[in-house]
Amino acid sequence: GGGGRQRRKQGPQQGDDLRVDVEIDFMQAIFGGDEKVKISHLETCTTCTGDGMKPGTRPRTCGTCSGSGVVTQVARTPLGMLQQQSACPQCQGSGQIVDEVCGGCTGRGRLQKSKQLMINVPAGVDSGSRLRIRKEGDAGPKGGPPGDLYVFLTVRPHKEFKRDGSDIYSSVKVSYVDAILGCEVEVNTVDGPVNLKVPTGTQPETVMRLEGKGVPKIGAKDQRGTHFVTVKVNIPTSVSGDDKEMLEKLRKGASVSAAGAGKGFFSR
């Protein structure tokens, strides 16, 4: 068996895609913005435009493979004569011999270059989000088009806020008196501080909702998630005499209330 000579493809080829990992701020992930990214990739040599030859020169046809880029070897096997093809060792499969290489790239046709890009981070991205930057990958061999650059994002954690998808979580501390009597407390959100009304008799670990204060959906900034605030009630480890007297009165009142209604303050 066997086959005829087939010329190997040696024209311009598509370049490889590249990946870069970038860490961004918590707030930038929510609201978006520009981010500087430094990359290193292969660029087509401007001296030879990627063919690797000294400008003004031409390659000659390889005498070993007659320009086909492949050589054929015949081996005797128990089944008969077998033809095997492989890349020509003289021209490395190109079918051509370059006698004078480009001085700018030493015949490689491409050069490793570092550059800084300014990329736009959309509002609402999260850790694991991937951005595609077209034509910023490696330039292709023989002057071929470049691949794409893929930017994988990691979001730095925030000291106060936690995030789950489009929702944000935080907590606020109130005194036990404020929890009993109710109050208005300032709560930090990603948009800035807002006033949150804590109703009378709020139980510890009560979760309150701030609608529209979460993370925008990618591509729809007006659609935002919810900010959930957990109320933490501060219980003192010691109380003064006057406070203790007041609490004793409160306990008596709560006992009466519990007998009638089945529960009192801070019951769940």
Side-chain angles (χ1 to χ4, degrees):
R5 291 186 174 183
Q6 295 181 349
R7 187 176 183 86
R8 299 171 70 89
K9 182 180 179 181
Q10 291 299 324
Q13 300 171 37
Q14 177 76 35
D16 291 333
D17 294 334
L18 294 180
R19 168 178 175 157
V20 63
D21 295 288
V22 176
E23 189 177 62
I24 62 174
D25 182 73
F26 185 90
M27 292 296 187
Q28 186 180 21
I30 293 175
F31 295 111
D34 293 331
E35 180 73 17
K36 292 180 180 179
V37 177
K38 189 174 182 180
I39 66 169
S40 178
H41 64 179
L42 290 172
E43 295 184 2
T44 299
C45 175
T46 56
T47 303
C48 65
T49 64
D51 61 22
M53 295 183 291
K54 180 180 178 180
T57 65
R58 296 178 61 85
R60 58 182 173 85
T61 301
C62 175
T64 302
C65 64
S66 301
S68 69
V70 296
V71 292
T72 302
Q73 295 177 326
V74 180
R76 186 184 299 275
T77 71
L79 300 176
M81 304 300 287
L82 178 66
Q83 289 187 345
Q84 294 179 320
Q85 288 187 335
S86 59
C88 175
Q90 185 66 26
C91 63
Q92 286 77 50
S94 69
Q96 298 177 327
I97 300 293
V98 176
D99 294 314
E100 295 184 86
V101 300
C102 171
C105 62
T106 62
R108 292 173 295 173
R110 299 181 293 177
L111 294 169
Q112 194 75 33
K113 297 277 189 177
S114 295
K115 67 184 295 187
Q116 185 170 270
L117 302 174
M118 185 70 76
I119 64 172
N120 179 258
V121 178
V125 298
D126 204 351
S127 291
S129 293
R130 185 185 73 172
L131 307 180
R132 182 184 184 185
I133 314 298
R134 294 185 181 275
K135 298 184 179 180
E136 289 294 352
D138 280 340
K142 302 293 183 181
D148 296 329
L149 174 69
Y150 289 91
V151 181
F152 285 77
L153 301 177
T154 299
V155 180
R156 287 188 289 270
H158 194 274
K159 63 180 181 180
E160 184 175 1
F161 304 129
K162 301 294 182 184
R163 177 180 172 184
D164 183 10
S166 60
D167 296 326
I168 292 177
Y169 297 82
S170 69
S171 62
V172 64
K173 293 181 179 180
V174 300
S175 70
Y176 68 97
V177 176
D178 284 337
I180 294 170
L181 300 178
C183 67
E184 194 170 272
V185 62
E186 188 176 89
V187 174
N188 289 325
T189 72
V190 294
D191 297 304
V194 299
N195 290 327
L196 177 68
K197 186 176 181 180
V198 178
T200 300
T202 295
Q203 303 296 308
E205 303 300 316
T206 294
V207 178
M208 308 186 72
R209 300 167 63 98
L210 294 172
E211 299 290 350
K213 293 294 184 181
V215 182
K217 291 185 178 180
I218 296 178
K221 289 185 177 182
D222 58 330
Q223 298 180 31
R224 297 180 59 174
T226 302
H227 186 150
F228 294 92
V229 181
T230 301
V231 179
K232 303 287 186 180
V233 180
N234 281 331
I235 307 296
T237 56
S238 62
V239 293
S240 67
D242 289 343
D243 288 343
K244 187 173 183 180
E245 183 179 347
M246 179 194 71
L247 291 171
E248 289 290 354
K249 292 179 181 179
L250 182 63
R251 178 161 61 182
K252 290 178 182 179
S255 297
V256 173
S257 175
K263 64 177 183 178
F265 290 113
F266 298 156
S267 63
R268 302 188 67 84

